[in-house]
Amino acid sequence: MRVTGRTTKMCEKAVEKWGVDAQLVILIEECSELTKEATKMLRGHWRRENMVEELADVTVMCEQMRIILGLSDDQLEDMAKAKMIRTMERGGIENY
């Protein structure tokens, strides 16, 4: 999921209001909650709506980190692409 438009503007305002340190703490908390839901999924004790909610929370916080780091969408996309190419190569996956 990509965060765009109004959501990006809200993320910018959140960073302005609460600052980098506070948002880093929230990023850590949200990643932890997503990890907890992933663990529940592995054990068969999860609910789809909880996973979607935690994934959305992490996505919003990642957008705030993109803003804090001053990264363009293209810069982040280029890095994600490079990471996936490396993953495909390591996995011996062709024709990606």
Side-chain angles (χ1 to χ4, degrees), residues 2-39:
R2 294 186 70 136
V3 175
T4 60
R6 185 161 185 238
T7 305
T8 295
K9 293 289 183 196
M10 290 187 284
C11 287
E12 290 169 352
K13 291 187 178 290
V15 171
E16 283 178 28
K17 177 159 180 78
W18 290 292
V20 174
D21 289 352
Q23 298 315 90
L24 281 170
V25 169
I26 294 171
L27 171 67
I28 293 164
E29 290 171 353
E30 296 301 349
C31 286
S32 175
E33 291 171 10
L34 180 59
T35 300
K36 181 179 173 185
E37 286 303 316
T39 302

